[in-house]
Amino acid sequence: MVSHDGIAPVSVLAVAGHSRRTLERALDHGAVQRVRKGWVALASADPVLVAAAERGVVLTCVTQAKRAGLFVLHEPRETHVAARPHSGRAGMLDARVHWAKPLVPRHPESLVDSIENTLALIAGCLPHEEALVVWESAFRTAQADPHTMARYSLPVAARRILDIMSTRSASRTSATTQL
């Protein structure tokens, strides 16, 4: 459980060799709590991850960028999550729900979005300059790669940011070459 941030699907625990009986004992003794069908968590688990599991959503956009250590100009006022289309429970959240189709398919056992999906959503959610700062942070920390991002069918706002980042990179390269 610790390697999964204190929260995991029961199926992952089963694959790791934990029997259903062991899990039931842990639940009976309060060592873990049932979050929703198929998910359990330690009492020490991150409450934001627990809330995501309860509602069947993933953390994304500026919330996930901040969690990943990317530079974000302003602390998000609300949690940003992504939900599958027609996911009824997600609409009841006190959060910003992103319903867009992901660039990278989301794994059903993940509670956090990929960096590619996170950046694509940021491009359309944050003001342009703020989104640009987050993208630049992702590239500088090597959490994202511009060449990889260019392979995706990006939304217009994300494509604009990637084009700006590519132009900046090219101008830095040519300036360095001239020196």
Side-chain angles (χ1 to χ4, degrees), residues 21-167:
R21 184 180 191 139
T22 302
L23 180 59
E24 290 301 327
R25 271 189 295 210
L27 285 163
D28 290 344
H29 290 97
V32 296
Q33 60 188 17
R34 191 173 312 278
V35 174
R36 73 175 175 133
K37 184 178 179 180
W39 283 82
V40 292
L42 299 172
S44 61
D46 182 341
V48 177
L49 289 174
V50 172
E54 286 173 340
R55 291 163 180 87
V57 297
V58 296
L59 302 178
T60 195
C61 194
V62 67
T63 298
Q64 181 53 22
K66 186 98 171 128
R67 290 176 62 85
L70 298 179
F71 186 75
V72 175
L73 286 175
H74 303 287
E75 187 71 33
R77 286 185 231 142
E78 56 192 349
T79 302
H80 289 240
V81 300
R84 291 184 310 276
H86 314 296
S87 177
R89 287 191 284 178
M92 298 185 300
L93 291 172
D94 182 24
R96 170 72 193 266
V97 181
H98 294 279
W99 302 95
K101 182 180 178 191
L103 297 176
V104 177
R106 295 180 178 113
H107 193 283
E109 295 171 348
S110 181
L111 296 174
V112 296
D113 218 345
S114 69
I115 190 67
E116 296 86 0
N117 293 340
T118 296
L119 291 175
L121 290 170
I122 282 171
C125 184
L126 294 181
H128 178 74
E129 292 299 321
E130 289 184 35
L132 196 57
V133 167
V134 178
W135 277 61
E136 187 168 26
S137 176
F139 291 162
R140 282 189 178 181
T141 60
Q143 290 187 48
D145 175 66
H147 302 292
T148 301
M149 292 300 292
R151 290 187 213 136
Y152 294 107
S153 178
L154 296 171
V156 173
R159 180 62 58 192
R160 279 183 51 222
I161 289 174
L162 184 60
D163 289 346
I164 290 168
M165 299 299 296
S166 296
T167 302

Side-chain angles (χ1 to χ4, degrees), residues 3-25:
S3 65
H4 290 91
D5 294 323
I7 183 166
V10 172
S11 59
V12 168
L13 299 176
V15 168
H18 302 284
S19 70
R20 183 169 204 84
R21 184 180 191 139
T22 302
L23 180 59
E24 290 301 327
R25 271 189 295 210

